[in-house]
Every structure is written in structure tokens, then in C-alpha cells.
Amino acid sequence: MDLFLSRGFEATTMDEIAAGAGVSRRSLFRYFGTKEDIVLRTLAGTGEAIRDALRARPADEAPWEALQAVAGSLATDGSWSSERELAIGRICLETASLRARRAEKHQGWADLLVPELAVRPASAPVGESAAQAILTAALACLDLATDRWVAGAGADDLPALFAEAVAAVRA
């Protein structure tokens, strides 16, 4: 990450990353298939964390309310407040391949999260199709909120930005 932050994403090569990590290029590719995977490695466990947090929410809580509560708790856990996170966020915001890879990671979360949302009540269980639509919209809201948070240099409250985006979608 230090290489990406100092030299820029596009200017940093996998050979430089391997040398900086003290491993061979082949070993590096065993763990990371692309440079994008290195930057977005922090998202690897996020789907599971969201699923676990959803499971911990009250079973009778509606999908949108549960998602907002989870987003608020994850965003305020302290990991989103550092200058380093902002710098990584800027790289992601400015690099098309990272934005695309982020969307791909989010798509992978659907297998974990749709079943959790599908059993939550609205006035009745929402079902698989509705859960997929809610999740897709919620992830778009999360991306918008995160991008606005980064663009504002972290000055805004990330859960509030997410809540604002959710309110717009639900209006």
C-alpha cells in the first residue's frame, strides 16, 4: 500500500510490490491475482462481517433498518477514520479498474447477504427477488456514501451519508 500511496496505483508494478514485500513475483501472485486485489484486500472479510452483523440484529427488524444499523456500526468501528483510509479511498475513487473490482466484490457479497435479508419482515418476509433489489440499492448507497466521504476528505459522517442516500432511494 505504501508503494501505491507514494507512486500511484498505475505507476506501481507487481515486480516492485513483490520486491517491497520480500517475496517472489510468483509468491505474490499466489496470494493476489491482480494489483486491484491487493488494494481491496480489506473488503475480503467485509461481506462476512455484514452477514454476521445482520444475524445479530433483531429478527423482526425490516431489511432497510437492519442494513442502516449495520452500516452505522461498521462505519463507526474506528477503521474509517485514518488518513491512510482516506488515501486508499482516493486511489479507489480515481482508478476505474478499482471501482470495477469493488463492484465485483460487492456482487460476491450477494450470496451471503440476500438470504439474510430475504427472511426479514417488511410486513411479510421480503423474498429472494426483493432482497436482491434491496441489497443492490443498499450497495449503491454505500458506494455513493463512501465516495462522498472520500471526496470530502473524511469531514462528513459516513453513516449519515449512507442514511441520506438510503432515504433518497426509499423516497
Side-chain angles (χ1 to χ4, degrees):
M1 285 310 301
D2 291 337
L3 286 171
F4 290 137
L5 295 175
S6 66
R7 299 194 49 185
F9 181 79
E10 297 296 336
T12 304
T13 68
M14 290 296 269
D15 288 329
E16 292 169 327
I17 296 166
V23 299
S24 70
R25 181 179 167 92
R26 185 175 175 167
S27 291
L28 181 65
F29 275 111
R30 214 171 306 168
Y31 295 99
F32 302 103
T34 66
K35 291 192 307 185
E36 290 80 5
D37 289 336
I38 294 169
V39 174
L40 297 175
R41 75 186 184 284
T42 57
L43 293 181
T46 305
E48 290 86 358
I50 294 169
R51 180 200 58 212
D52 294 346
L54 280 172
R55 285 180 178 167
R57 301 293 309 161
D60 61 345
E61 191 172 49
W64 279 111
E65 286 69 28
L67 285 167
Q68 281 191 264
V70 167
S73 69
L74 293 176
T76 57
D77 70 359
S79 65
W80 286 91
S81 58
S82 73
E83 284 299 316
R84 185 175 179 84
E85 288 301 318
L86 278 170
I88 292 167
R90 276 191 291 279
I91 290 172
C92 291
L93 189 60
E94 297 166 356
T95 308
S97 63
L98 285 168
R99 287 192 312 272
R101 186 71 175 115
R102 176 178 72 178
E104 188 179 317
K105 291 250 186 218
H106 287 179
Q107 194 60 35
W109 295 352
D111 291 339
L112 297 170
L113 303 178
V114 166
E116 297 301 320
L117 295 176
V119 297
R120 292 193 163 270
S123 56
V126 295
E128 190 103 0
S129 293
Q132 182 69 50
I134 290 168
L135 179 63
T136 300
L139 291 174
C141 291
L142 177 63
D143 287 345
L144 174 66
T146 303
D147 291 350
R148 287 184 59 206
W149 178 79
V150 169
D156 296 311
D157 180 60
L158 186 55
L161 292 171
F162 179 73
E164 182 182 319
V166 167
V169 167
R170 295 186 71 190

